[in-house]
Amino acid sequence: HINNPITEGMDKEEFKSRLYEKFHLPDQKKADVLLAELVKRMIAKTSGTYVSVKDFNTAYNDELTSMRIQIAKQYAAAGIEAPPTAEVTNSFKDKTKARQIIENMHKEGALIKLSPTTYMDKKSYDELMQKFSEFMDSHDQITLGEFRDLAGTSRKYAMQFLECLDKQKITKMVGDARILL
């Protein structure tokens, strides 16, 4: 928690693996029992796929708050032309903390995950979804070229957004166009 104050905790599987190794447990199932006992005795807590100390809450110090503001500004300025995560994290000395902040911003809903390597500012995403929805209200389908023109961006960024909609099962590619599901 000291090294990762904005991460909810350690991944459960990693935590159990460390218990198994540290205490030389006879089998992996004993790590499950030990974790359950830590939770029962209120020493640890679990949340989703994370394990943490019972009283731990994520907290941004001044440095992390400053980084978060800078990251938010980068994504807001990029709009639909969402930069790869590596490009954003490379602008910081501590790339690990920058990556954690981006992941937290995604969990909080401030960033939308377009792909495993790209996020977009929520406001930009919502504005683009509004344009997309208005277009689809009067059309049966949309091509990449139509969407590119609608978004006022390049083919690369239009494709990135449409592929995200496909993954979310909002659209489906049929021939050269996409239709709503």
Side-chain angles (χ1 to χ4, degrees), residues 78-81 120 124-125 127-132 135 142-162:
I80 182 173
E81 297 179 358
M120 178 187 273
S124 300
Y125 178 88
E127 289 170 0
L128 196 52
M129 277 302 291
Q130 181 66 34
K131 288 180 183 180
F132 173 78
F135 181 91
I142 190 167
T143 65
L144 176 59
E146 289 171 329
F147 185 73
R148 178 198 63 222
D149 295 343
L150 180 72
T153 191
S154 70
R155 184 180 193 284
K156 171 187 171 181
Y157 295 109
M159 178 65 83
Q160 183 173 265
F161 189 85
L162 289 173

Side-chain angles (χ1 to χ4, degrees), residues 54-116:
K54 176 189 73 112
D55 306 357
F56 179 72
N57 290 310
T58 59
Y60 281 81
N61 60 25
D62 290 343
E63 175 195 4
L64 296 174
T65 300
S66 174
M67 286 175 72
R68 181 187 165 93
I69 291 166
Q70 291 174 51
I71 289 169
K73 284 180 181 176
Q74 284 185 44
Y75 279 108
I80 182 173
E81 297 179 358
T85 304
E87 185 179 308
V88 176
T89 59
N90 284 340
S91 64
F92 294 94
K93 182 179 176 185
D94 191 334
K95 292 164 187 33
T96 301
K97 284 187 178 149
R99 198 173 302 105
Q100 290 172 347
I101 291 169
I102 290 168
E103 289 171 12
N104 279 2
M105 290 175 73
H106 169 62
K107 287 177 191 170
E108 295 165 2
L111 296 176
I112 304 298
K113 192 173 203 171
L114 297 180
S115 73

Side-chain angles (χ1 to χ4, degrees), residues 33-50:
V33 172
L34 188 51
L35 174 58
E37 189 63 27
L38 290 169
V39 170
K40 179 180 168 188
R41 291 182 184 204
M42 298 177 71
I43 295 168
K45 69 179 177 183
T46 58
S47 175
T49 62
Y50 295 100

